[in-house]
Amino acid sequence: MALFDQTATEHLKGLESGALKSVELTQTYLDRIRAVDNRVGAFLSVDADGALKRAEEIDERRAKKQRVGRLAGLPLAVKDILCERGKVTTCASRMLQQFRPPYDATVIAKLREADAVFVGRTNMDEFAMGGSTENSAFQVTRNPWDLERSPGGSSGGSAAAVAAGMAPLAIGTDTGGSIRQPAGLCGVVGMKPTYGRVSRFGLIAFASSLDQIGPFGQSVEDAALLLETIAGHDPRDTTSLDVPVPAYSQSVNKPLANLRIGWVREHFGGGLDKEVESAVRAAFEVYKSLGATLHEISLPHSKYAVATYYVIAPSEASSNLARYDGVHFGYRTDEKEMLAELAADRRRLETAGDKAGLEHLDSALVRMYRRTRAEGFGPEVKRRIMLGTYALSAGYYDAYYLKALKLRRLIRKDFDDAFGKVDLIAGPITPAPAFKIGEMSGDPLAMYLVDIYTVSANLAGIPGLCLPCGRSQAGLPIGLQLQAPALEEERLFCGARMFEQATDWDKGRAKL
Amino acid sequence: MSDYTTIVGLEVHVQLATASKLFCGCSTKFGAEPNTQTCPVCIGLPGTLPVMNRNAFQLALKTAVALNCEIPAYTKWDRKQYYYPDLPKNYQISQYDLPMSQHGYLDIGDPKGAFEPKRVRILRAHLEEDAGKSLHDEVAGKGDSLIDLNRTGTPLLEIVSEPDMRSPLEAKAFLTELKLLLTYIGVSDCNMQEGSLRVDANVNLHIDTAEGKVATPIIEIKNMNSFRAVERALEYEVGRQWCEWQETHRKLGDAPKQTRGWDDVAGVTRGQRSKEESSDYRYFPDPDLAPVTVGPQDAAAIRESLGELPAALRGRLESDFGLSAYDADVLVNQGSPVVTYFLDVAKFTGDPKAAANWVTQDVLRTLKESEHTIESLPVASSALAELIRKVKAGEVPSSRAREVFQTMVEKRVDVAAAMQSLGIAAVDEGELIALCQKLLAANPKTISDVRAGKLQAVGALIGQAKKQNPNVDPTRFRELCLELIEKAP
Ligand SMILES: [Zn+2]
């Protein structure tokens, strides 16, 4: 097994015993990036010099027996949506192509303090809007298992980086499934924590009430280790929860006794791929063999989850993205061209004697706004801004936004009721394995329906995890989703780890 | 000619006197170099999040309680969305359907009786963040605009009255009383020049016609930089609307609500270019901020901490100190330090009437004519009390008391030193009798005049006495003269 195929937990043992140096490890991953990323396209930027310098410095400290952080020397990839002081943070958008935040996201600061080695920033759907990473303004990311296929999204870059052995750990964000879905399609472990478990400060907002930052790894242990490092209350994010963070990496190997697993009746209706269904049902059998009991449950409002999500998320996005207007920072349209265009419009209207047209002609400011946003945003972002603006408009607010909030409460209540009967909920992560690049791009609605199993966890604020549970005949990974009640990440990790230890699906690696 | 009633409602924005902004740690100090009091949060950089300033919320609660508002147990933050360059996020964090306070009132009156005392209802008071400032070059398509974001995020309390005022004078009285209240409870410096108090007025007329009452379109007036300007703008607008009514007979609802700006130099309001009438702000709850809960104990604790408010104080000055409504009003309107000064003088002398006379006249005149505030006045309340006591004891002639006070102010000395520097010494009773006898002997006609009933003849002798000894107390001298004439054979 190549060094880059091992898990972060294994690397850490080597680093701590002195058998492995961070410089060597970091170089291995940088070499791997150089070897395969021209085909995968997971990274938007790679900081080889910075990473090696940092690795060297950590090795030195470790050699001198000085204090080092929790992840000391482990290479890590970060989704290009977390602000890092002085580093270009693009959100895969033209709008922020040159944007260098003057501050660190809390998660970046925590990772820095833990002595992780940042190797690069990963590709994503623009502003995290999408499930295929095709909506990046800069490049398409490909699934390491089949380069014709999508890695999923929006954290497709991070998932592909881990799946292709370009980083043992990666950070993603999940608003409607953006960590769990690409983890499933790329055959790695991805986890969305409870809303409020991880500080959102410095995470460029898509939908504030749904966004959460979470880990990617090759194993459940790795994901537990990474969450443990980034979780915790942050006074700069008043939606972050002021509760203690358990030592997940310590408890992850304790199997759960008398585990009650719920399977959701509504998850096995039409539209679920047969191969996916049988892999998931096989996973249920594995749990039974481990002493767990299986229980059929119902989430009666889950059929409204996608519709609810596609009102709430775009509504918040339309507001969060209003600040990208070319005035204070980010992309601005070419002023000369803009003024020339405006002058031409004026002349045309004057010649035509169009008084009404002249009266409604944009001011320079409004034309600057229009052009900046037209040029700076891609089509999916524009689509969602329009959806959200519409849903929040006078006369539509009650019918859309308010109704969606009511449904959100009902969806949350469904989970409360379900978790009265079971400890974990298990089921598919996507209706089918990885789809072909371009397959869905002409049909936004079909793309939205891929989120059918993932969005409810965001709406309910509960944690969810995806780990590999099978392979399709075409050799594509199939993911199993586990969900737990709010703040029960520990239970989620332990339950996932039981399955992982009982099977070999985590050992598979994409051939590149 | 038909008659009409003027209907006025006011919207007041008050900057709360916090050290830092509403959702970040930046200073709120006025007058700094542009864009030096900003941070990633208040300039709305991607990824930043607001954190509520507890102190600002506390000051807002204090104001709401002082305005007799109901304080709901639960209040939340909403985003008011509109594009403007001095609003970096292109939304303002404000409060929409669940404001932190509502349904209060403020009583107003006029001590000279220009209008009947009345209760102006407060519809709501809510907290929001202020926007920045823009400097424009208005030439279309040309010129740059400059933006200063120092003010962005300053806590702002928007107080909305019901349309309960019936004249420009009542509107001015409401603002004066509101400012006094805010100053008493120390929540704002209310400096209109620096923009810490801003007023918008809504005004229309209810006209009596043969078909009953008809309302004219409501006009919102902006850009008024003083309470006097508010009064003038309303006076102008009432006249303008009356004329417009006679010309057009346009009623409420015939035209969308219009905004007019006050031009203080020209003394007129002018129609402002209506931006997207009936703008849709697409309010929705801010997902970055948790709702705020206020317990009944919190509101009660604030009520206790408020101290005596102006209305209660006026009542107490009248009932407990026997002051006239006018004097009580004058004192209370000076602010609480002057009232405290008065209360001390009244306590030290046991003579609230004299204390009120001195404070409302000499003390206030001095404050007005000098650079002094009540705190910097060289005559402490105890020193003024001493002066009053000496006057009553006859040690300082009442005719020279004012002189003594002036000297105490100018030379920063106590009563005794002021008296010495003015050569005032109490005149011995025996000395006074001797002087009286001497002057009576020299002026026999005075005696016969007085006996004939012309008491004012004594006046001439008082003049002569003061010439011989300036410390002579004219009142006492007059009494002695009359006594001696009566006793004389
Ligand atoms: Zn700030």
Side-chain angles (χ1 to χ4, degrees):
Chain A
M1 205 180 211
L3 189 57
F4 57 74
D5 281 335
Q6 292 176 17
T7 66
T9 307
E10 287 161 347
H11 291 324
L12 204 52
K13 282 195 193 110
L15 289 165
E16 279 166 356
S17 72
L20 182 63
K21 292 275 177 258
S22 177
V23 169
E24 181 195 340
L25 186 64
T26 304
Q27 190 61 60
T28 300
Y29 281 104
L30 290 170
D31 290 346
R32 178 72 175 166
I33 292 170
R34 204 162 299 140
V36 302
D37 201 39
N38 57 345
R39 283 176 282 153
V40 178
F43 285 90
L44 287 175
S45 63
V46 175
D47 181 12
D49 293 347
L52 287 169
K53 217 176 121 200
R54 180 99 171 113
E56 198 173 324
E57 186 250 325
I58 292 163
D59 282 340
E60 246 169 64
R61 270 196 282 143
R62 195 169 245 143
K64 288 186 195 154
K65 305 263 180 254
Q66 288 174 354
R67 207 196 68 81
V68 290
R70 191 80 193 78
L71 304 178
L74 285 178
L76 179 135
V78 176
K79 186 177 183 181
D80 204 19
I81 195 172
L82 289 181
C83 290
E84 188 177 344
R85 184 197 298 268
K87 289 271 166 69
V88 172
T89 302
T90 68
C91 252
S93 180
R94 267 193 92 182
M95 202 54 112
L96 292 176
Q97 196 165 2
Q98 314 281 343
F99 177 63
R100 286 174 199 271
Y103 62 93
D104 274 342
T106 298
V107 164
I108 293 287
K110 282 183 177 246
L111 290 168
R112 204 191 289 288
E113 181 142 318
D115 291 322
V117 175
F118 299 128
V119 290
R121 304 183 65 88
T122 58
N123 196 24
M124 53 186 279
D125 286 301
E126 183 179 8
F127 283 102
M129 296 178 189
S132 68
T133 315
E134 291 165 286
N135 297 330
S136 166
F138 307 122
Q139 68 197 40
V140 167
T141 300
R142 294 167 182 277
N143 192 317
W145 293 84
D146 177 351
L147 295 172
E148 296 299 304
R149 292 180 186 269
S150 165
S154 66
S155 310
S158 288
V162 173
M166 295 189 278
L169 296 171
I171 292 288
T173 63
D174 190 316
T175 305
S178 285
I179 291 174
R180 292 161 290 153
Q181 183 254 31
L185 301 187
C186 290
V188 297
V189 177
M191 197 264 189
K192 179 200 96 76
T194 306
Y195 183 77
R197 185 54 111 175
V198 179
S199 167
R200 292 185 296 116
F201 188 85
L203 155 63
I204 297 179
F206 159 15
S208 315
S209 76
L210 302 160
D211 295 342
Q212 265 296 285
I213 301 168
F216 281 103
Q218 290 283 17
S219 71
V220 175
E221 274 183 309
D222 287 5
L225 174 69
L226 188 48
L227 179 64
E228 182 179 308
T229 310
I230 61 172
H233 177 245
D234 178 8
R236 289 185 300 178
D237 174 5
T238 53
T239 64
S240 73
L241 299 167
D242 197 359
V243 290
V245 178
Y248 304 121
S249 63
Q250 306 298 305
S251 57
V252 65
N253 286 308
K254 276 187 224 141
L256 300 169
N258 307 317
L259 177 62
R260 297 171 301 168
I261 289 191
W263 64 274
V264 183
R265 189 183 311 143
E266 292 83 1
H267 284 178
F268 293 88
L272 181 60
D273 177 273
K274 286 286 161 246
E275 285 186 295
V276 172
E277 178 167 355
S278 59
V280 169
R281 289 203 188 274
F284 295 166
E285 294 307 314
V286 171
Y287 273 111
K288 274 194 207 158
S289 74
L290 294 170
T293 51
L294 264 287
H295 306 263
E296 181 180 343
I297 55 165
S298 171
L299 297 172
H301 296 95
S302 59
K303 57 176 175 286
Y304 303 119
V306 169
T308 303
Y309 176 83
Y310 278 98
V311 172
I312 291 177
S315 293
E316 294 183 12
S318 71
S319 175
N320 286 333
L321 272 63
R323 71 192 66 196
Y324 306 109
D325 60 3
V327 174
H328 297 282
F329 59 85
Y331 176 80
R332 181 189 285 186
T333 190
D334 185 280
E335 283 187 51
K336 265 204 192 111
E337 271 179 31
M338 181 270 287
L339 290 173
E341 178 191 74
L342 201 53
D345 285 355
R346 180 175 301 281
R347 274 194 305 276
R348 182 172 49 74
L349 292 165
E350 278 167 355
T351 314
D354 185 347
K355 277 211 175 117
L358 278 167
E359 206 162 292
H360 289 101
L361 185 63
D362 291 344
S363 65
L365 174 68
V366 169
R367 182 60 60 94
M368 191 279 282
Y369 282 154
R370 277 190 206 280
R371 283 178 53 119
T372 296
R373 289 170 69 82
E375 295 160 8
F377 288 137
E380 183 59 28
V381 172
K382 285 179 195 163
R383 184 176 297 125
R384 297 202 192 191
I385 289 174
M386 285 191 281
L387 273 173
T389 305
Y390 182 82
L392 291 178
S393 295
Y396 301 101
Y397 182 87
D398 289 4
Y400 295 102
Y401 186 75
L402 213 56
K403 184 154 279 177
L405 285 189
K406 283 179 190 157
L407 276 163
R408 186 175 186 177
R409 276 194 290 275
L410 293 172
I411 288 164
R412 191 174 294 163
K413 197 180 160 296
D414 281 356
F415 278 107
D416 289 346
D417 294 346
F419 284 123
K421 298 180 203 110
V422 298
D423 304 311
L424 293 173
I425 294 173
I429 189 71
T430 50
F435 47 89
K436 287 227 164 92
I437 287 167
E439 188 181 329
M440 306 253 199
S441 53
D443 188 353
L445 205 59
M447 190 68 239
Y448 294 173
L449 286 172
V450 171
D451 300 341
I452 192 156
Y453 303 122
T454 52
V455 290
S456 7
N458 301 81
L459 291 168
I462 60 169
L465 180 149
C466 180
L467 75 169
C469 73
R471 206 76 45 76
S472 73
Q473 283 191 336
L476 296 169
I478 295 171
L480 174 71
Q481 174 171 232
L482 296 174
Q483 291 170 310
L487 294 174
E488 295 292 348
E489 285 87 355
E490 198 165 27
R491 188 192 297 172
L492 194 57
F493 283 131
C494 291
R497 181 67 177 153
M498 283 166 72
F499 178 85
E500 189 177 74
Q501 282 182 313
T503 59
D504 280 333
W505 298 115
D506 61 307
K507 311 283 188 305
R509 295 289 182 269
K511 308 265 174 301
L512 274 163
Chain B
M1 177 186 147
S2 52
D3 213 353
Y4 64 81
T5 313
T6 304
I7 310 289
V8 181
L10 296 172
E11 271 178 41
V12 184
H13 285 88
V14 183
Q15 277 184 357
L16 297 177
T18 52
S20 58
K21 295 184 179 179
L22 185 50
F23 296 114
C24 67
C26 291
S27 165
T28 55
K29 211 162 180 296
F30 179 82
E33 281 294 302
N35 298 308
T36 54
Q37 289 171 178
T38 58
C39 72
V41 176
C42 59
I43 64 177
L45 288 190
T48 59
L49 296 170
V51 176
M52 186 187 79
N53 176 345
R54 288 250 141 222
N55 186 36
F57 194 81
Q58 206 62 13
L59 293 188
L61 268 185
K62 224 171 149 175
T63 313
V65 170
L67 285 170
N68 309 291
C69 286
E70 291 166 13
I71 312 293
Y74 174 96
T75 182
K76 67 176 171 73
W77 301 98
D78 299 285
R79 293 184 181 176
K80 178 181 182 177
Q81 311 194 68
Y82 60 95
Y83 278 76
Y84 211 73
D86 62 18
L87 190 68
K89 303 187 295 293
N90 284 326
Y91 63 81
Q92 177 191 29
I93 304 176
S94 180
Q95 302 196 285
Y96 182 50
D97 54 340
L98 296 172
M100 47 90 48
S101 69
Q102 57 190 353
H103 307 319
Y105 61 83
L106 181 66
D107 289 331
I108 58 170
D110 183 281
K112 289 179 184 154
F115 59 87
E116 285 296 305
K118 71 159 28 171
R119 176 159 290 184
V120 177
R121 291 167 301 154
I122 306 290
L123 176 63
R124 59 185 278 161
H126 72 251
L127 198 49
E128 61 188 25
E129 54 176 352
D130 208 344
K133 282 183 202 162
S134 307
L135 285 168
H136 297 299
D137 187 343
E138 287 287 359
V139 184
K142 278 185 210 143
D144 289 331
S145 291
L146 300 173
I147 300 163
D148 176 9
L149 297 180
N150 281 352
R151 200 177 70 177
T152 309
T154 298
L156 209 55
L157 189 70
E158 180 176 327
I159 301 167
V160 184
S161 88
E162 297 278 7
D164 286 352
M165 286 147 281
R166 293 291 170 267
S167 68
L169 189 64
E170 286 184 15
K172 190 176 165 212
F174 174 85
L175 292 170
T176 309
E177 186 67 9
L178 179 65
K179 179 178 170 182
L180 185 69
L181 183 73
L182 297 171
T183 316
Y184 260 76
I185 60 177
V187 296
S188 173
D189 65 17
C190 294
N191 186 328
M192 280 186 95
Q193 259 55 52
E194 293 179 2
S196 44
L197 193 150
R198 284 167 256 161
V199 182
D200 298 334
N202 284 290
V203 56
N204 73 339
L205 308 179
H206 286 185
I207 296 168
D208 294 322
T209 69
E211 293 84 41
K213 276 209 189 297
V214 175
T216 58
I218 298 174
I219 300 291
E220 181 173 12
I221 318 175
K222 290 184 178 289
N223 301 346
M224 298 166 293
N225 291 318
S226 67
F227 292 171
R228 176 72 189 125
V230 174
E231 195 184 10
R232 287 177 65 212
L234 284 169
E235 280 164 358
Y236 173 84
E237 190 56 28
V238 167
R240 195 195 64 78
Q241 286 188 28
W242 176 242
C243 292
E244 190 178 80
W245 161 256
Q246 284 168 318
E247 278 170 30
T248 65
H249 278 73
R250 219 165 31 185
K251 301 189 295 291
L252 183 63
D254 289 352
K257 185 172 154 178
Q258 201 203 348
T259 302
R260 297 179 71 86
W262 171 246
D263 180 336
D264 205 55
V265 178
V268 297
T269 64
R270 291 186 221 278
Q272 291 187 337
R273 212 169 68 107
S274 57
K275 42 178 177 182
E276 298 286 311
E277 284 303 345
S278 71
S279 346
D280 180 0
Y281 291 119
R282 288 176 287 113
Y283 281 102
F284 82 109
D286 192 324
D288 288 332
L289 287 159
V292 186
T293 51
V294 184
Q297 299 95 322
D298 300 324
I302 283 185
R303 198 164 283 121
E304 295 221 335
S305 75
L306 277 181
E308 204 166 16
L309 300 180
L313 204 46
R314 283 192 198 97
R316 188 157 73 93
L317 293 185
E318 287 176 47
S319 61
D320 296 7
F321 294 88
L323 260 55
S324 69
Y326 185 82
D327 280 353
D329 198 58
V330 169
L331 275 179
V332 170
N333 292 357
Q334 292 301 315
S336 86
V338 169
V339 176
T340 306
Y341 184 93
F342 158 77
L343 291 172
D344 287 344
V345 176
K347 187 173 76 187
F348 296 146
T349 58
D351 187 347
K353 269 249 140 57
N357 282 340
W358 272 96
V359 176
T360 55
Q361 290 168 33
D362 296 82
V363 172
L364 292 190
R365 184 185 315 115
T366 304
L367 297 186
K368 207 170 167 188
E369 290 169 358
S370 68
E371 295 289 292
H372 287 301
T373 63
I374 193 75
E375 287 91 350
S376 73
L377 188 71
V379 183
S381 52
S382 56
L384 177 58
E386 176 67 6
L387 172 60
I388 293 173
R389 203 189 52 73
K390 279 197 181 329
V391 172
K392 281 171 74 179
E395 291 167 43
V396 172
S398 51
S399 60
R400 302 196 67 189
R402 182 162 285 162
E403 248 181 287
V404 175
F405 180 79
Q406 293 301 344
T407 307
M408 289 167 78
V409 173
E410 280 155 24
K411 303 205 161 154
R412 299 171 174 273
V413 292
D414 65 7
V415 185
M419 285 168 67
Q420 201 180 13
S421 93
L422 291 171
I424 297 176
V427 181
D428 183 60
E429 184 86 350
E431 212 179 307
L432 203 59
I433 293 173
L435 181 61
C436 196
Q437 284 167 332
K438 192 176 109 188
L439 289 174
L440 282 174
N443 297 282
K445 188 163 182 301
T446 307
I447 299 175
S448 53
D449 280 355
V450 169
R451 283 190 174 152
K454 287 170 71 183
L455 293 183
Q456 69 272 31
V458 181
L461 294 193
I462 297 173
Q464 291 184 38
K466 287 196 78 169
K467 246 177 223 157
Q468 299 206 5
N469 183 347
N471 290 325
V472 164
D473 177 357
T475 318
R476 183 66 193 137
F477 182 82
R478 185 172 186 275
E479 282 167 12
L480 277 175
C481 276
L482 294 176
E483 261 172 55
L484 287 175
I485 291 167
E486 206 171 301
K487 281 187 206 151

